Amino acid sequence: MATKMSLTELDDEIVRSMSIGAVFSDFGGKINSLDFHRKDDLLVTASEDDSVRLYDIANAKLIKTTYHKKHGADRICFTHHPSSVICSSRHNLESTGEALRYLSMYDNRCLRYFKGHKERVVSLCMSPVNDSFMSGSLDHSVRIWDLRVNACQGILRLRGRPTVAYDQQGLVFAVAMEGGAIKLFDSRSYDKGPFDTFLVGGDTAEVCDIKFSNDGKSMLLTTTNNNIYVLDAYGGEKRCGFSLEPSPNTTIEATITPDGEYVISGSGDGTLHAWNINMRNEVAAWNSHIGVTACLKWAPRRAMFVAASTVLTFWIPNNCSKPAAETGSTDAQAGLQFEQVGQ
């Protein structure tokens, strides 16, 4: 299944040719989140069955599964180390307060607990340049952490469901909040407050996902009512927008290709769609074959994306694919300020 196709070669025809190259259907529930490692050919998933699973994406192979019955597995992201992840908890949050864990997949150990959030974490991202990471919770707070210390480094209190993302250079981070407002912060001096605010004109739905393009020029937003927007990351102008079918009780995810040219998204009717950002036109629509896709990400260095519901699928250009064998089936306010938190 491996494909080393250069991402600079992506065009409408190649995107249109994407099809399923591998399927993993042995999950005991919905896949809550997934993440690619930035440099290694690795994927990690967190699922409702309390499992965290590590995959070799070059060969579409499951490397390791660990179970986390006490805390569960909800949001997940890689650290810079290929066998270490940050995972948010689904269970026993009130009794333990352990909303986030720093896990070693190598020896199935918890390296550190991060306490502070009172409710479930719904957004999680790692800085691409250092040991900082951010979390947004249903307790209406965003927290900044450092992998090396237990104590929270900064808190932003806000209204609504917070969503967080670093840009690919780690210089800026975005926080989405109530009313469709996106606040941009300098990651080196976030305590000074946001340096800019973008509003998605006319759409006040909550933003449930933010992604920056690799070149930092575009920002991809997905809202809870299944609208997708691409904004100019410098001025906030809307470059394009797309509406998908509603998906009650499931938030969809969209992804942007590493060259910044295409957006891929799920939809409430179980389809997947691809658009050319510059031409603002749809170039492909597929049956996902797995129902409503809740998790969707394009691999950082490959012509490949993964889509997941209760099943995980790897999509690659058709000229590289083998027959899709089933695998593993047996088994908001201008005055917002961060609070400095003492260590």
Side-chain angles (χ1 to χ4, degrees), residues 23 107 149 184 219 311 322 328-329:
V23 179
D107 52 6
V149 293
L184 296 182
M219 192 188 303
V311 177
K322 299 175 182 176
S329 54

Side-chain angles (χ1 to χ4, degrees), residues 27-314:
F27 292 85
K30 186 168 74 77
I31 296 161
N32 293 318
S33 62
L34 49 81
D35 190 34
F36 286 103
H37 193 268
R38 295 175 66 83
K39 295 179 179 175
D40 289 30
D41 280 328
L42 296 170
L43 172 77
V44 66
T45 63
S47 168
E48 275 183 347
D49 63 8
D50 302 328
S51 71
V52 172
R53 305 185 190 210
L54 187 66
Y55 294 87
D56 165 6
I57 66 168
N59 301 294
K61 181 182 176 185
L62 176 65
I63 299 172
K64 188 159 193 176
T65 303
T66 60
Y67 285 93
H68 305 265
K69 296 297 182 185
K70 179 181 177 183
H71 295 92
D74 200 354
R75 302 290 103 191
I76 198 158
C77 68
F78 274 107
T79 65
H80 299 291
H81 194 283
S83 64
S84 298
V85 298
I86 308 159
C87 186
S88 72
S89 303
R90 291 181 67 236
H91 313 317
N92 301 311
L93 192 52
E94 286 186 11
S95 59
T96 67
E98 294 160 350
L100 294 158
R101 290 117 57 219
Y102 176 20
L103 304 175
S104 166
M105 292 291 288
Y106 174 72
D107 52 6
N108 193 20
R109 248 179 352 118
C110 183
L111 305 175
R112 195 178 299 281
Y113 294 102
F114 299 95
K115 296 183 178 183
H117 284 303
K118 305 301 182 194
E119 294 192 45
R120 196 167 65 86
V121 169
V122 292
S123 186
L124 185 64
C125 62
M126 182 81 204
S127 166
V129 293
N130 58 33
D131 285 329
S132 298
F133 68 98
M134 298 178 67
S135 55
S137 164
L138 295 177
D139 64 10
H140 309 300
S141 74
V142 168
R143 290 175 178 257
I144 295 185
W145 311 85
D146 187 309
L147 282 176
R148 298 164 295 185
V149 293
N150 297 68
C152 173
Q153 305 297 293
I155 308 173
L156 174 64
R157 302 189 191 280
L158 45 87
R159 291 191 300 227
R161 169 199 173 113
T163 302
V164 295
Y166 283 96
D167 78 338
Q168 297 296 329
Q169 288 71 42
L171 300 175
V172 170
F173 63 79
V175 178
M177 54 196 70
E178 189 180 58
I182 313 294
K183 305 277 185 183
L184 296 182
F185 293 81
D186 184 326
S187 57
R188 295 157 300 184
S189 54
Y190 53 80
D191 52 310
K192 293 184 171 64
F195 65 82
D196 211 345
T197 300
F198 297 158
L199 293 169
V200 182
D203 194 337
T204 57
E206 287 185 315
V207 172
C208 55
D209 189 47
I210 306 174
K211 291 182 175 74
F212 283 90
S213 61
N214 274 357
D215 59 12
K217 294 178 181 177
S218 299
M219 192 188 303
L220 175 66
L221 310 178
T222 308
T223 69
T224 50
N225 61 358
N226 289 5
N227 287 330
I228 311 287
Y229 299 101
V230 180
L231 304 187
D232 180 286
Y234 300 122
E237 299 85 11
K238 187 161 70 175
R239 293 185 61 193
C240 54
F242 312 101
S243 293
L244 285 309
E245 293 296 320
S247 53
N249 307 317
T250 303
T251 56
I252 63 168
E253 185 174 8
T255 189
I256 192 164
T257 53
D259 60 8
E261 299 292 324
Y262 297 91
V263 169
I264 318 288
S265 174
S267 180
D269 60 2
T271 56
L272 297 172
H273 299 262
W275 296 272
N276 183 311
I277 294 172
N278 292 321
M279 301 301 292
R280 302 187 180 191
N281 66 318
E282 184 173 294
V283 298
W286 307 276
N287 181 341
S288 73
H289 301 288
I290 59 172
V292 178
T293 300
C295 301
L296 184 70
K297 281 191 173 70
W298 194 285
R301 301 175 302 105
R302 286 182 173 272
M304 170 194 293
F305 68 85
V306 293
S309 56
T310 56
V311 177
L312 176 65
T313 54
F314 287 71

